[in-house]
Amino acid sequence: MDGLKGFWAEKLSFLENYTRFTKRDTPLPSWSSSDVDEFIASDPVNGPTLKTAREAATFGATGAALGAVSTAAFAWKYSRSPHGTALSFLGGGLFGWTFGQEVANHTMQLYKLDTMAAQVKFMEWWERKSQGRS
């Protein structure tokens, strides 16, 4: 069992990048899109990467919406089963999100960018800004 635990600890070690932001005594305040835009304008290295990652999320959301609606409509048309339609909606949304993210990954060349580092830099910037230490 120790080998399995060590295996997953190694595979999920990237989650430690966020622990100082998620396991705080007081949570960080919410930010708005104007705050994100301010960070994008102020950081010439991580700003464009964060902007690209945010644009890629719209690909995923669009894919999820298209996948969910089209598979649910197909299931409803041919089966008239409410639970089958609901499962098709969920499955199509999941597949659509995944497919949309893959399309974004290739068209925006996200594989060349360190999006996690950009997100961590944004969180550090937001932490400083929200505490008044810009």
Side-chain angles (χ1 to χ4, degrees), residues 2-3 5 8 14 23 26 40 47 51 53 66-68 70 85 90 92 100 105 107 123 129:
D2 241 0
K5 186 176 180 180
W8 284 112
F14 67 90
K23 295 184 179 183
T26 57
I40 290 169
K51 181 178 181 181
L66 289 172
S70 63
T85 301
L90 293 173
N105 190 30
T107 59
M123 296 294 283
K129 184 175 181 196

Side-chain angles (χ1 to χ4, degrees), residues 109-128:
Q109 299 180 347
L110 291 178
Y111 51 86
K112 293 181 177 180
L113 305 174
D114 190 357
T115 56
M116 185 177 292
Q119 291 170 355
V120 169
K121 290 295 183 186
F122 169 74
M123 296 294 283
E124 290 171 350
W125 175 85
W126 181 244
E127 184 177 40
R128 285 192 309 274

Side-chain angles (χ1 to χ4, degrees), residues 98-111:
T98 304
F99 190 72
Q101 284 297 106
E102 283 301 311
V103 168
N105 190 30
H106 292 290
T107 59
M108 298 179 160
Q109 299 180 347
L110 291 178
Y111 51 86

Side-chain angles (χ1 to χ4, degrees), residues 2-56:
D2 241 0
L4 187 61
K5 186 176 180 180
F7 171 79
W8 284 112
E10 181 182 329
K11 294 293 180 194
L12 298 175
S13 64
F14 67 90
L15 295 174
E16 293 173 8
N17 293 338
Y18 297 107
T19 55
R20 67 173 184 230
F21 305 115
T22 58
K23 295 184 179 183
R24 295 169 43 97
D25 293 334
T26 57
L28 285 173
S30 298
W31 56 82
S32 66
S33 57
S34 63
D35 296 319
V36 176
D37 292 337
E38 184 180 340
F39 171 77
I40 290 169
S42 70
D43 191 328
V45 175
N46 295 300
T49 301
L50 186 66
K51 181 178 181 181
T52 304
R54 288 173 54 90
E55 291 169 357

